[in-house]
Amino acid sequence: MNAIMIIYYLISAFIAAMLIWNFIREKEDREKMLLYLIVLVPLILRILRIR
Amino acid sequence: MSRIWIMKFIFIIIISVVMIISGIQFYQHRHYQLPIVAGSGVTRVTRLSEYCESLQGTMADTYVFFLEGKEPGGKVLIMGNTHSNEPAALLTALVFIENAIIETGSLIIIPQFNNSGSRNTKPGDGYPLYFNIPTPWGSKKFRYGNRNAAPLDSWPDPDVYVHYPDRQLLSYLDVRNTNRTWPGRANGPLMERVTFATMQLLKQEQVDIAIDIHGAETMFPVTNCIVAPDTSMKIATLTSMTVKAMEGFENHVEPSPQGFRGLSHREIGDYSKTMPFLLEAPLPFLDQPTGPKTTDLLLNGKDPFLLSLSKQNKLFVPYDESGWPMEKRVGQHCSVVLEIMKQFSQKNVDKTIAIDNVPRYAEVVENRVGYYFHDPKKAEKDNIYIN
C-alpha cells in the first residue's frame, strides 16, 4: 500500500469520525441525522475494505 | 432512554438494513462468475498477466483465449467488454470462442477486457445487475457491468487524468476507462497496466489486426460504424461497402481522430505494427432520453421516446418499432469481424486468416444469439473457464 492510499484511509477515518460525532451531537434536525448516516455508509465500507 | 435517542436508533437500524441488503446484492454481482465454454477451436488459454506481471492477482487480470489453425497465417486479436455496459461485444467474443474453427492463421480473444468494469455497476442510472440470454438449453446469465473499472480496484481517481505518454488532459474518470489508457505502462494505474499488457501481447505474438468491439448511443454520431486510422482505412472501407452490398446493413467508416489520445484505434496503430479497428453497433440502452433502464430495453432496444426522436430525425441510425435487438448488434459484429479478416487475407495472401463455423448477420438474426452458446453443464470441465 503506497503513502497516498494510507493518507486516503486516514482522511476517510477522520471524516467518518466527524460524521459520527455530529450524529451524536445532533438533537433536533431529523434530516441531518439521516444525512450523516447516509454519507457515512461509503466511508465505513471503504475503511472496512469491504469489496 | 430519551425520545431523541430512540429516533436515532431507529434511523441507524433503517440505514443498516438498507446498507446490508444492497451491499449483499452488489457483493454477489461483483463476485458472480460467468462460465465460458471453450469450443473445439480453442488451443490454449492464458491470463493477460502473462504479458505484464503487475496485473497478477488484481481484479483486472483476465482470460486470453487462443484459437490456432493448422497452417500459419495472419493473427487477429478480438477484444470484448472494453466497456462492460456494451454487452454485444462480450456476446460476439463468446460466439467466436465457442464456435470458431480456425483453418489458417490464429485468433486471440479477450472476451472480458475490462474485467473490473464488468464487476462494477451504475446504480445512479438504475442499471440492472444482470441480464439473461435465452438459449436452447435454458437461459445464460451475465453480469451487466459499467463503462469504467470499479473504483474498488482502481482508487483513488486523480483530479484530471493525464494521459501517458502524450500528457493530454482527460476526464478523471478516464483513468478507469480501458479505451482511454492506451498504450499504457507497466507501473501505471491499473487500466494502463491492462492496455500495456495487451500492447505487449500484440508485439510478442506479432498480431496483424486488433478489433475492439463496442456499442454506442443512437444519438451519438460515432455509432453503427467502423472507426479506423489511416493504416486500416482501406480495409475498413472495403468491409463497410461489402457488408452493405452483400448483407444489407449499414456500417459506415469513421476516421480515428489524430488529436484525441488514449483510444485503441489511435494508439495501437501509432505504437505497434498492428492494424486497429473499432466496431460500434447502436445501443439504445445508453441513450439518455429513454424510459426505465430495464433488461428489455438492453436486449431489444425498443423505446417510445427514441421512436419519437427518430421521427424528428434526431437519431444517427435508422430506428423503428422493432428497436435495435441484440441479435442485430451481435450479427453485425460477427459479419464485420469476418469481413475484415477476409479483406485483409485478400490483400495479404501470405497472412491469410481462414475461419469456419462462425455465423454471419442473417444467421444470428434468424437463430438469435443464445443458439450459439453451449450448455456448461454438458461441457467437459477442462473446457470451462469461470470468470
mmCIF file of all heavy atoms in Angstrom, chain A residues 4-5 8 23-24 26-27 30 33-34 37-38 41 46 51, chain B residues 3-4 7-8 11-12 15 19 27 30-31 151-152 155-156:
data_model
loop_
_atom_site.group_PDB
_atom_site.id
_atom_site.type_symbol
_atom_site.label_atom_id
_atom_site.label_comp_id
_atom_site.label_asym_id
_atom_site.label_seq_id
_atom_site.Cartn_x
_atom_site.Cartn_y
_atom_site.Cartn_z
ATOM 1 N N ILE A 4 -0.072 7.423 -0.557
ATOM 2 C CA ILE A 4 -1.331 8.117 -0.901
ATOM 3 C C ILE A 4 -2.534 7.323 -0.387
ATOM 4 O O ILE A 4 -3.482 7.899 0.169
ATOM 5 C CB ILE A 4 -1.430 8.333 -2.429
ATOM 6 C CG1 ILE A 4 -0.377 9.359 -2.849
ATOM 7 C CG2 ILE A 4 -2.831 8.801 -2.845
ATOM 8 C CD1 ILE A 4 -0.245 9.557 -4.339
ATOM 9 N N MET A 5 -2.474 5.990 -0.538
ATOM 10 C CA MET A 5 -3.593 5.165 -0.070
ATOM 11 C C MET A 5 -3.733 5.273 1.459
ATOM 12 O O MET A 5 -4.849 5.365 1.975
ATOM 13 C CB MET A 5 -3.369 3.700 -0.468
ATOM 14 C CG MET A 5 -3.467 3.451 -1.955
ATOM 15 S SD MET A 5 -5.096 3.800 -2.603
ATOM 16 C CE MET A 5 -5.924 2.269 -2.294
ATOM 17 N N TYR A 8 -5.385 8.475 2.236
ATOM 18 C CA TYR A 8 -6.825 8.420 1.919
ATOM 19 C C TYR A 8 -7.605 7.673 3.000
ATOM 20 O O TYR A 8 -8.700 8.093 3.389
ATOM 21 C CB TYR A 8 -7.057 7.771 0.550
ATOM 22 C CG TYR A 8 -7.185 8.780 -0.555
ATOM 23 C CD1 TYR A 8 -6.061 9.269 -1.192
ATOM 24 C CD2 TYR A 8 -8.426 9.264 -0.948
ATOM 25 C CE1 TYR A 8 -6.164 10.202 -2.205
ATOM 26 C CE2 TYR A 8 -8.547 10.200 -1.947
ATOM 27 C CZ TYR A 8 -7.411 10.671 -2.577
ATOM 28 O OH TYR A 8 -7.516 11.600 -3.569
ATOM 29 N N PHE A 23 -23.490 13.242 14.361
ATOM 30 C CA PHE A 23 -24.731 12.476 14.532
ATOM 31 C C PHE A 23 -25.087 12.388 16.020
ATOM 32 O O PHE A 23 -26.252 12.575 16.400
ATOM 33 C CB PHE A 23 -24.554 11.071 13.936
ATOM 34 C CG PHE A 23 -25.736 10.171 14.147
ATOM 35 C CD1 PHE A 23 -26.903 10.347 13.419
ATOM 36 C CD2 PHE A 23 -25.694 9.142 15.095
ATOM 37 C CE1 PHE A 23 -28.002 9.516 13.605
ATOM 38 C CE2 PHE A 23 -26.784 8.314 15.301
ATOM 39 C CZ PHE A 23 -27.933 8.498 14.553
ATOM 40 N N ILE A 24 -24.091 12.128 16.842
ATOM 41 C CA ILE A 24 -24.338 12.017 18.294
ATOM 42 C C ILE A 24 -24.795 13.365 18.864
ATOM 43 O O ILE A 24 -25.708 13.432 19.678
ATOM 44 C CB ILE A 24 -23.057 11.520 19.021
ATOM 45 C CG1 ILE A 24 -22.778 10.058 18.614
ATOM 46 C CG2 ILE A 24 -23.194 11.625 20.543
ATOM 47 C CD1 ILE A 24 -21.414 9.550 18.994
ATOM 48 N N GLU A 26 -26.262 15.885 17.299
ATOM 49 C CA GLU A 26 -27.487 16.455 16.733
ATOM 50 C C GLU A 26 -28.689 16.127 17.615
ATOM 51 O O GLU A 26 -28.914 14.969 17.963
ATOM 52 C CB GLU A 26 -27.700 15.907 15.306
ATOM 53 C CG GLU A 26 -28.889 16.489 14.585
ATOM 54 C CD GLU A 26 -28.809 18.003 14.450
ATOM 55 O OE1 GLU A 26 -27.794 18.494 13.940
ATOM 56 O OE2 GLU A 26 -29.754 18.689 14.896
ATOM 57 N N LYS A 27 -29.461 17.143 17.988
ATOM 58 C CA LYS A 27 -30.567 16.926 18.925
ATOM 59 C C LYS A 27 -31.940 17.146 18.305
ATOM 60 O O LYS A 27 -32.936 16.651 18.811
ATOM 61 C CB LYS A 27 -30.441 17.875 20.142
ATOM 62 C CG LYS A 27 -29.144 17.759 20.905
ATOM 63 C CD LYS A 27 -29.048 16.459 21.652
ATOM 64 C CE LYS A 27 -27.725 16.363 22.428
ATOM 65 N NZ LYS A 27 -27.325 14.973 22.684
ATOM 66 N N ARG A 30 -33.993 15.996 12.206
ATOM 67 C CA ARG A 30 -34.022 14.589 11.789
ATOM 68 C C ARG A 30 -33.359 14.391 10.421
ATOM 69 O O ARG A 30 -32.702 13.381 10.179
ATOM 70 C CB ARG A 30 -35.482 14.115 11.693
ATOM 71 C CG ARG A 30 -36.163 14.022 13.010
ATOM 72 C CD ARG A 30 -37.611 13.664 12.801
ATOM 73 N NE ARG A 30 -38.383 13.876 14.020
ATOM 74 C CZ ARG A 30 -39.679 13.707 14.107
ATOM 75 N NH1 ARG A 30 -40.363 13.330 13.040
ATOM 76 N NH2 ARG A 30 -40.315 13.895 15.232
ATOM 77 N N MET A 33 -29.712 14.124 10.814
ATOM 78 C CA MET A 33 -29.339 12.816 11.390
ATOM 79 C C MET A 33 -29.259 11.753 10.299
ATOM 80 O O MET A 33 -28.306 10.994 10.208
ATOM 81 C CB MET A 33 -30.382 12.390 12.427
ATOM 82 C CG MET A 33 -30.352 13.130 13.709
ATOM 83 S SD MET A 33 -31.700 12.514 14.734
ATOM 84 C CE MET A 33 -31.956 13.906 15.800
ATOM 85 N N LEU A 34 -30.314 11.713 9.467
ATOM 86 C CA LEU A 34 -30.350 10.723 8.374
ATOM 87 C C LEU A 34 -29.210 10.962 7.384
ATOM 88 O O LEU A 34 -28.548 10.024 6.922
ATOM 89 C CB LEU A 34 -31.691 10.822 7.638
ATOM 90 C CG LEU A 34 -32.739 9.769 7.986
ATOM 91 C CD1 LEU A 34 -34.018 10.032 7.214
ATOM 92 C CD2 LEU A 34 -32.241 8.370 7.716
ATOM 93 N N LEU A 37 -25.881 9.657 8.517
ATOM 94 C CA LEU A 37 -25.789 8.193 8.411
ATOM 95 C C LEU A 37 -25.595 7.747 6.958
ATOM 96 O O LEU A 37 -24.803 6.848 6.678
ATOM 97 C CB LEU A 37 -27.051 7.547 8.998
ATOM 98 C CG LEU A 37 -27.208 7.651 10.513
ATOM 99 C CD1 LEU A 37 -28.554 7.063 10.940
ATOM 100 C CD2 LEU A 37 -26.082 6.941 11.240
ATOM 101 N N ILE A 38 -26.336 8.413 6.046
ATOM 102 C CA ILE A 38 -26.229 8.020 4.625
ATOM 103 C C ILE A 38 -24.817 8.309 4.099
ATOM 104 O O ILE A 38 -24.212 7.471 3.428
ATOM 105 C CB ILE A 38 -27.302 8.751 3.780
ATOM 106 C CG1 ILE A 38 -28.689 8.207 4.140
ATOM 107 C CG2 ILE A 38 -27.045 8.572 2.288
ATOM 108 C CD1 ILE A 38 -29.844 9.044 3.613
ATOM 109 N N VAL A 41 -22.084 5.736 5.066
ATOM 110 C CA VAL A 41 -22.063 4.370 4.515
ATOM 111 C C VAL A 41 -20.821 4.087 3.652
ATOM 112 O O VAL A 41 -20.072 3.144 3.947
ATOM 113 C CB VAL A 41 -23.369 4.075 3.729
ATOM 114 C CG1 VAL A 41 -23.258 2.758 2.958
ATOM 115 C CG2 VAL A 41 -24.544 4.025 4.674
ATOM 116 N N ARG A 46 -15.389 1.677 2.913
ATOM 117 C CA ARG A 46 -14.002 1.881 2.492
ATOM 118 C C ARG A 46 -13.020 1.542 3.612
ATOM 119 O O ARG A 46 -12.041 0.836 3.394
ATOM 120 C CB ARG A 46 -13.830 3.351 2.041
ATOM 121 C CG ARG A 46 -12.457 3.736 1.647
ATOM 122 C CD ARG A 46 -11.913 2.872 0.526
ATOM 123 N NE ARG A 46 -12.377 3.293 -0.786
ATOM 124 C CZ ARG A 46 -12.143 2.601 -1.901
ATOM 125 N NH1 ARG A 46 -11.474 1.479 -1.853
ATOM 126 N NH2 ARG A 46 -12.574 3.041 -3.065
ATOM 127 N N ARG A 51 -15.339 -5.334 -0.211
ATOM 128 C CA ARG A 51 -15.459 -5.235 -1.660
ATOM 129 C C ARG A 51 -16.482 -6.237 -2.176
ATOM 130 O O ARG A 51 -16.183 -7.153 -2.883
ATOM 131 C CB ARG A 51 -14.115 -5.480 -2.327
ATOM 132 C CG ARG A 51 -13.086 -4.425 -1.924
ATOM 133 C CD ARG A 51 -11.801 -4.619 -2.654
ATOM 134 N NE ARG A 51 -10.850 -3.603 -2.293
ATOM 135 C CZ ARG A 51 -9.734 -3.359 -2.984
ATOM 136 N NH1 ARG A 51 -9.460 -4.061 -4.063
ATOM 137 N NH2 ARG A 51 -8.898 -2.437 -2.613
ATOM 138 N N ARG B 3 -36.311 10.352 23.999
ATOM 139 C CA ARG B 3 -37.039 10.202 22.733
ATOM 140 C C ARG B 3 -36.100 10.379 21.526
ATOM 141 O O ARG B 3 -36.197 9.676 20.533
ATOM 142 C CB ARG B 3 -38.150 11.245 22.709
ATOM 143 C CG ARG B 3 -39.197 10.988 21.657
ATOM 144 C CD ARG B 3 -40.333 11.983 21.772
ATOM 145 N NE ARG B 3 -40.825 12.332 20.469
ATOM 146 C CZ ARG B 3 -40.375 13.326 19.723
ATOM 147 N NH1 ARG B 3 -39.410 14.085 20.176
ATOM 148 N NH2 ARG B 3 -40.891 13.570 18.536
ATOM 149 N N ILE B 4 -35.166 11.318 21.685
ATOM 150 C CA ILE B 4 -34.253 11.607 20.572
ATOM 151 C C ILE B 4 -33.339 10.417 20.262
ATOM 152 O O ILE B 4 -33.049 10.097 19.108
ATOM 153 C CB ILE B 4 -33.434 12.901 20.868
ATOM 154 C CG1 ILE B 4 -32.827 13.463 19.576
ATOM 155 C CG2 ILE B 4 -32.344 12.682 21.875
ATOM 156 C CD1 ILE B 4 -33.792 14.287 18.818
ATOM 157 N N MET B 7 -35.215 7.690 18.423
ATOM 158 C CA MET B 7 -35.304 8.036 16.996
ATOM 159 C C MET B 7 -33.974 7.749 16.290
ATOM 160 O O MET B 7 -33.943 7.204 15.192
ATOM 161 C CB MET B 7 -35.667 9.514 16.865
ATOM 162 C CG MET B 7 -36.103 9.900 15.478
ATOM 163 S SD MET B 7 -36.844 11.545 15.502
ATOM 164 C CE MET B 7 -35.477 12.546 16.012
ATOM 165 N N LYS B 8 -32.877 8.086 16.959
ATOM 166 C CA LYS B 8 -31.558 7.848 16.351
ATOM 167 C C LYS B 8 -31.323 6.349 16.122
ATOM 168 O O LYS B 8 -30.796 5.933 15.086
ATOM 169 C CB LYS B 8 -30.447 8.421 17.242
ATOM 170 C CG LYS B 8 -30.298 9.932 17.110
ATOM 171 C CD LYS B 8 -29.144 10.443 17.921
ATOM 172 C CE LYS B 8 -29.001 11.946 17.745
ATOM 173 N NZ LYS B 8 -27.909 12.508 18.544
ATOM 174 N N PHE B 11 -33.228 5.232 13.118
ATOM 175 C CA PHE B 11 -32.515 5.641 11.889
ATOM 176 C C PHE B 11 -31.331 4.713 11.609
ATOM 177 O O PHE B 11 -31.112 4.294 10.472
ATOM 178 C CB PHE B 11 -32.011 7.089 12.013
ATOM 179 C CG PHE B 11 -33.082 8.125 11.826
ATOM 180 C CD1 PHE B 11 -32.887 9.433 12.248
ATOM 181 C CD2 PHE B 11 -34.286 7.799 11.222
ATOM 182 C CE1 PHE B 11 -33.861 10.398 12.066
ATOM 183 C CE2 PHE B 11 -35.282 8.764 11.048
ATOM 184 C CZ PHE B 11 -35.072 10.059 11.468
ATOM 185 N N ILE B 12 -30.570 4.389 12.655
ATOM 186 C CA ILE B 12 -29.405 3.504 12.474
ATOM 187 C C ILE B 12 -29.853 2.141 11.947
ATOM 188 O O ILE B 12 -29.238 1.577 11.041
ATOM 189 C CB ILE B 12 -28.622 3.352 13.812
ATOM 190 C CG1 ILE B 12 -27.915 4.662 14.148
ATOM 191 C CG2 ILE B 12 -27.602 2.211 13.719
ATOM 192 C CD1 ILE B 12 -27.298 4.701 15.532
ATOM 193 N N ILE B 15 -30.981 2.498 8.185
ATOM 194 C CA ILE B 15 -29.822 2.652 7.289
ATOM 195 C C ILE B 15 -29.030 1.346 7.211
ATOM 196 O O ILE B 15 -28.571 0.936 6.145
ATOM 197 C CB ILE B 15 -28.914 3.816 7.763
ATOM 198 C CG1 ILE B 15 -29.634 5.159 7.609
ATOM 199 C CG2 ILE B 15 -27.581 3.831 7.006
ATOM 200 C CD1 ILE B 15 -29.886 5.607 6.196
ATOM 201 N N MET B 19 -28.317 -0.763 3.934
ATOM 202 C CA MET B 19 -26.918 -0.980 3.564
ATOM 203 C C MET B 19 -26.625 -2.475 3.400
ATOM 204 O O MET B 19 -25.967 -2.888 2.441
ATOM 205 C CB MET B 19 -25.994 -0.385 4.626
ATOM 206 C CG MET B 19 -24.528 -0.457 4.268
ATOM 207 S SD MET B 19 -23.470 0.423 5.427
ATOM 208 C CE MET B 19 -23.376 -0.726 6.784
ATOM 209 N N TYR B 27 -22.307 -7.178 -3.675
ATOM 210 C CA TYR B 27 -21.235 -8.156 -3.459
ATOM 211 C C TYR B 27 -21.443 -9.364 -4.372
ATOM 212 O O TYR B 27 -20.509 -9.840 -5.016
ATOM 213 C CB TYR B 27 -21.215 -8.583 -1.990
ATOM 214 C CG TYR B 27 -20.090 -9.533 -1.659
ATOM 215 C CD1 TYR B 27 -18.840 -9.057 -1.293
ATOM 216 C CD2 TYR B 27 -20.275 -10.915 -1.752
ATOM 217 C CE1 TYR B 27 -17.798 -9.927 -1.017
ATOM 218 C CE2 TYR B 27 -19.245 -11.793 -1.482
ATOM 219 C CZ TYR B 27 -18.008 -11.295 -1.113
ATOM 220 O OH TYR B 27 -16.981 -12.161 -0.856
ATOM 221 N N ARG B 30 -20.618 -8.473 -7.961
ATOM 222 C CA ARG B 30 -19.164 -8.345 -8.169
ATOM 223 C C ARG B 30 -18.480 -9.705 -8.221
ATOM 224 O O ARG B 30 -17.498 -9.886 -8.932
ATOM 225 C CB ARG B 30 -18.571 -7.482 -7.051
ATOM 226 C CG ARG B 30 -17.065 -7.262 -7.155
ATOM 227 C CD ARG B 30 -16.637 -6.193 -6.172
ATOM 228 N NE ARG B 30 -15.212 -6.230 -5.885
ATOM 229 C CZ ARG B 30 -14.271 -5.668 -6.652
ATOM 230 N NH1 ARG B 30 -14.619 -5.052 -7.752
ATOM 231 N NH2 ARG B 30 -13.008 -5.744 -6.314
ATOM 232 N N HIS B 31 -19.004 -10.672 -7.466
ATOM 233 C CA HIS B 31 -18.345 -11.980 -7.382
ATOM 234 C C HIS B 31 -19.074 -13.057 -8.196
ATOM 235 O O HIS B 31 -18.730 -14.232 -8.083
ATOM 236 C CB HIS B 31 -18.205 -12.397 -5.912
ATOM 237 C CG HIS B 31 -17.294 -11.463 -5.155
ATOM 238 N ND1 HIS B 31 -15.929 -11.614 -5.130
ATOM 239 C CD2 HIS B 31 -17.558 -10.332 -4.451
ATOM 240 C CE1 HIS B 31 -15.384 -10.631 -4.419
ATOM 241 N NE2 HIS B 31 -16.352 -9.835 -3.998
ATOM 242 N N PRO B 151 -14.072 1.598 -8.869
ATOM 243 C CA PRO B 151 -13.146 2.362 -8.020
ATOM 244 C C PRO B 151 -12.582 1.509 -6.878
ATOM 245 O O PRO B 151 -11.568 1.857 -6.306
ATOM 246 C CB PRO B 151 -14.005 3.518 -7.496
ATOM 247 C CG PRO B 151 -15.409 3.172 -7.806
ATOM 248 C CD PRO B 151 -15.416 2.162 -8.889
ATOM 249 N N LEU B 152 -13.238 0.385 -6.598
ATOM 250 C CA LEU B 152 -12.701 -0.521 -5.574
ATOM 251 C C LEU B 152 -11.358 -1.109 -6.008
ATOM 252 O O LEU B 152 -10.538 -1.498 -5.185
ATOM 253 C CB LEU B 152 -13.680 -1.679 -5.328
ATOM 254 C CG LEU B 152 -15.008 -1.325 -4.692
ATOM 255 C CD1 LEU B 152 -15.949 -2.514 -4.747
ATOM 256 C CD2 LEU B 152 -14.815 -0.873 -3.258
ATOM 257 N N TRP B 155 -8.145 2.969 -7.339
ATOM 258 C CA TRP B 155 -8.520 4.041 -6.413
ATOM 259 C C TRP B 155 -7.282 4.618 -5.772
ATOM 260 O O TRP B 155 -6.335 3.875 -5.534
ATOM 261 C CB TRP B 155 -9.452 3.465 -5.332
ATOM 262 C CG TRP B 155 -10.128 4.473 -4.468
ATOM 263 C CD1 TRP B 155 -11.185 5.268 -4.790
ATOM 264 C CD2 TRP B 155 -9.809 4.773 -3.101
ATOM 265 N NE1 TRP B 155 -11.548 6.040 -3.716
ATOM 266 C CE2 TRP B 155 -10.716 5.758 -2.670
ATOM 267 C CE3 TRP B 155 -8.860 4.314 -2.204
ATOM 268 C CZ2 TRP B 155 -10.689 6.283 -1.379
ATOM 269 C CZ3 TRP B 155 -8.822 4.840 -0.920
ATOM 270 C CH2 TRP B 155 -9.741 5.808 -0.520
ATOM 271 N N PRO B 156 -7.168 5.884 -5.519
ATOM 272 C CA PRO B 156 -8.133 6.953 -5.799
ATOM 273 C C PRO B 156 -8.048 7.446 -7.245
ATOM 274 O O PRO B 156 -7.047 7.241 -7.920
ATOM 275 C CB PRO B 156 -7.678 8.057 -4.848
ATOM 276 C CG PRO B 156 -6.197 7.834 -4.712
ATOM 277 C CD PRO B 156 -5.989 6.361 -4.804
#
